[in-house]
């Protein structure tokens, strides 16, 4: 079974982003970029399925600028077999991403698509669910455990009250949550090997998918900041403040 | 045109988050229908019918809807979507699961986790883990929206409207429910508690977490939260995680114990009314958002705190 893993190039999670002074967006000039952490978990999950003999091929796909090739190389260094880059310099919203991924899935015919539950830039948490909808497939979101069976998968999901286990028919879309696995660091030999793995490049506009944004971004602002309060020196003082000043006890 | 609000419930009771999402819906329009989809969910529907500002409650009852599976629930919402120009829900795990599926089936964008309604088609939402706030305007004829419940006050009870049955759509039969491992406790729910006490990696083990944090929670009637580090380390279950990718809370009082204050965590609690931070490290970023900071070892301080309450 082939596993398709969509990966997104995003600002590295360690970078403290800055809003542009004219409120036109977030300043991304010369900022360190990396693979979206949730997508890294997806790649790890797919590679583990291959190592366990349950998947035959892991194909990474990214939609974005030419530089997203670096992101695909990260996935290849972790163990993906080959990659597809759908190039575009436009902002592509989750719905358009899902439509492009559907095109890729129609050609590649994977048995499973594993995708991060959200990207840490726009925090939308939509792509996997939308892709499942467009394909007419089952979805298992926020996965903390994936067990493959015959033409089906049991997926344990992180939900509000704890955990829920569901069974989905394959092919299906699974979105990954934090506790699914701890992604490996790519070894140097694997990083070198990844440079020789094939990346097929296509232009998004050639796929015949309408990618025009549906949302107009009017403004991007700094969040309201909270002022630091005071330091108290003892438990007694803390309780006194909470009772008399804050009135919350 | 009318607004469809998807209710969050466990068939017996309606979540407080629905009353909060209702407040956001009321800022968008006035004709609001609440959809309660489940199995034997009459009690939850009854609660929804009492909320002020609700025009009508729709109750869909079927086995396929018992466990919030995305495919049958999305099929139901899409089957009645024709009568609505806005479909909205609190951004719970269940709604985050189903709403994008609905949006894609309707070929519209979703606006995720709004924190403010600027006008009926324009909303504010956090991006980059809350480090920037974007104002977005939808251009689609239908809007699909999830609401960060902590950013809105709950609507009060006060009405009494009719409950109308709606037919569940055919189950696509793509998935089935196996089991729930839902933690049960007498403590209040994390997202609606007035007081939340959270522990971080400094707790060191799940035993210590229970031993030190829980007695204070009991005494205060507080819900218990945890940092991502504590959850990743296995000191606390996943559903306790407070942060951008966990639960977003805004209680009257938030007590952070042994939590350094990573951006990710702050995004989940910085709208709390009062924040108390207890940490050994005087330079921990959590002190920059705390109203009251106590630089001390939580293992010394929390038992003393509990006794003094």
């Amino acid at each position: 079974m082939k596993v398709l893993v969509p990966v997104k190039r995003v600002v590295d999670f360690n970078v403290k982003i800055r809003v542009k002074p004219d409120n036109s967006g977030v300043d991304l000039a010369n900022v360190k970029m990396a693979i979206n952490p949730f997508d890294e978990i997806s790649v790890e999950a797919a590679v583990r399925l291959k190592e366990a003999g349950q998947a035959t091929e892991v194909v990474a796909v990214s939609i974005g600028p030419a530089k997203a090739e670096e992101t695909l190389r990260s996935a290849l260094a972790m163990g993906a077999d080959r990659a597809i880059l759908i190039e575009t310099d436009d902002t592509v919203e989750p719905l358009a991403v899902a439509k492009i991924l559907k095109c890729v899935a129609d050609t590649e015919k994977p048995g499973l698509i594993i995708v991060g539950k959200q990207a840490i830039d726009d925090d939308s948490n939509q792509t996997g669910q939308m892709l499942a909808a467009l394909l007419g497939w089952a979805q298992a979101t926020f996965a903390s455990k994936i067990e493959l069976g015959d033409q089906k998968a049991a997926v344990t999901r992180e939900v509000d009250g704890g955990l829920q286990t569901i069974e989905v028919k394959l092919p299906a879309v699974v979105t990954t949550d934090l506790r699914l696995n701890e992604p490996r660091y790519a070894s140097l030999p694997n990083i070198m090997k990844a440079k020789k793995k094939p990346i097929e490049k296509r232009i998004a506009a050639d796929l015949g998918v309408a990618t025009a944004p549906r949302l107009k971004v009017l403004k991007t602002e700094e969040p309201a900041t909270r002022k630091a309060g005071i330091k108290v020196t003892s438990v007694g003082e803390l309780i006194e403040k909470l009772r008399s000043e804050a009135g919350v006890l | 045109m009318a607004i469809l609000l998807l209710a969050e419930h466990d068939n017996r009771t309606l979540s407080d988050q629905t009353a909060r999402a209702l407040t956001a819906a009321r800022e968008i329009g006035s004709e609001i229908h609440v959809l309660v989809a489940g199995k034997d969910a009459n009690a939850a529907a009854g609660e929804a019918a009492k909320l002020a500002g609700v025009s009508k409650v729709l109750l869909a009852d079927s086995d396929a809807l018992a466990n919030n599976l995305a495919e049958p629930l999305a099929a139901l919402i899409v089957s009645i979507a024709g009568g609505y120009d806005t479909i909205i829900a609190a951004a719970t795990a269940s709604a985050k699961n189903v709403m994008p599926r609905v949006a894609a089936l309707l070929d519209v964008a979703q606006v995720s986790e709004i924190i403010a309604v600027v006008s009926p088609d324009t909303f504010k939402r956090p991006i980059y883990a809350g480090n920037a706030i974007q104002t977005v305007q939808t251009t689609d004829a239908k809007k699909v929206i999830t609401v960060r419940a902590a950013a809105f006050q709950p609507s009060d009870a006060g009405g009494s409207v009719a409950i109308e049955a709606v037919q569940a759509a055919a189950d696509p039969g793509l998935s089935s429910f196996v089991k729930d491992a839902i933690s049960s406790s007498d403590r209040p729910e994390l997202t609606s508690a007035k007081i939340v006490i959270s522990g971080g990696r400094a707790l060191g083990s799940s035993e210590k977490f229970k031993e030190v944090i829980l007695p204070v929670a009991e005494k205060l009637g507080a819900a218990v939260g945890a940092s991502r580090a504590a959850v990743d380390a296995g000191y606390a279950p996943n559903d306790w995680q407070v942060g951008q990718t966990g639960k977003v809370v805004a209680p009257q009082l938030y007590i952070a114990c042994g939590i350094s204050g990573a951006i990710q965590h702050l995004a989940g609690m910085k709208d709390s009314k009062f924040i108390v931070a207890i940490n050994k490290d005087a330079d921990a970023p959590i002190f920059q958002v705390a109203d009251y900071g106590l630089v001390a070892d939580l293992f010394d301080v929390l038992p003393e705190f509990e006794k003094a309450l």
Side-chain angles (χ1 to χ4, degrees), chain B residues 62-77:
Chain B
S62 96
D63 291 333
L65 296 170
N67 303 100
N68 289 319
L69 293 174
E71 301 86 8
L73 182 53
L76 165 66
I77 296 169

Side-chain angles (χ1 to χ4, degrees), chain B residues 1-305:
Chain B
M1 234 198 311
I3 297 171
L4 183 68
L5 168 62
L6 175 66
E8 175 73 23
H9 65 88
D10 63 358
N11 293 316
R12 295 178 303 279
T13 53
L14 188 72
S15 164
D16 162 78
Q17 299 200 63
T18 298
R20 293 172 184 267
L22 172 60
T23 302
R26 291 167 79 184
E27 292 178 27
I28 297 170
S30 55
E31 171 86 12
I32 299 166
H33 301 175
V34 178
L35 173 63
V36 178
K39 179 68 191 159
D40 302 326
N42 305 57
E47 285 183 41
K50 291 197 189 88
L51 288 175
V54 172
S55 319
K56 186 160 63 172
V57 173
L58 306 175
L59 176 61
D61 181 274
S62 96
D63 291 333
L65 296 170
N67 303 100
N68 289 319
L69 293 174
E71 301 86 8
L73 182 53
L76 165 66
I77 296 169
V78 169
S79 75
I80 58 173
Y84 301 96
D85 62 4
T86 301
I87 302 168
I88 192 167
T92 58
S94 165
K96 287 194 259 195
N97 185 35
V98 74
M99 293 292 267
R101 191 171 180 104
V102 170
L105 292 172
L106 297 171
D107 192 27
V108 300
Q110 173 178 303
V111 188
S112 294
E113 305 223 14
I114 63 164
I115 55 168
V117 176
V118 178
S119 75
D121 68 356
T122 304
F123 312 95
K124 288 187 187 226
R125 59 175 304 263
I127 54 173
Y128 288 94
N131 284 304
I133 307 296
Q134 214 170 42
T135 304
V136 295
Q137 183 177 30
T138 61
T139 60
D140 286 312
K142 261 189 217 306
K143 288 165 289 200
V144 173
I145 299 164
T146 64
V147 178
R148 182 163 283 187
F152 295 87
Q153 290 302 312
S155 287
D156 294 330
S160 175
V161 297
I163 300 172
E164 201 176 283
V166 289
Q167 191 68 41
D171 179 6
L174 296 168
S175 62
S176 55
F177 170 76
V178 178
K179 66 173 180 192
D180 272 334
I182 301 296
S183 35
S184 63
S185 88
D186 298 334
R187 286 186 295 273
E189 201 194 335
L190 192 49
T191 49
S192 55
K194 294 208 161 43
I195 304 178
V196 173
I197 176 164
S198 285
R201 187 159 43 194
L203 269 306
S205 70
S206 88
E207 292 71 31
K208 285 284 173 200
F209 201 108
K210 290 196 189 88
E211 195 183 308
V212 180
I213 300 285
L214 296 194
V216 186
E218 300 294 336
K219 209 61 169 285
L220 289 169
V224 180
S227 70
R228 178 186 163 182
V231 176
D232 282 355
Y235 304 163
N238 66 281
D239 51 300
W240 289 6
Q241 186 182 326
V242 171
Q244 177 70 8
T245 59
K247 293 208 172 75
V248 179
V249 301
Q252 293 288 309
L253 173 61
Y254 187 89
I255 307 174
C257 309
I259 291 177
S260 62
I263 295 165
Q264 205 284 132
H265 186 76
L266 300 184
M269 45 65 85
K270 68 180 167 55
D271 292 329
S272 305
K273 187 134 191 259
F274 288 95
I275 295 174
V276 169
I278 300 170
N279 203 303
K280 270 202 294 204
D281 175 9
D283 297 325
I286 191 79
F287 288 119
Q288 291 164 19
V289 300
D291 299 284
Y292 304 112
L294 180 54
V295 181
D297 188 335
L298 65 94
F299 293 109
D300 299 334
V301 168
L302 283 180
E304 191 188 339
F305 187 66

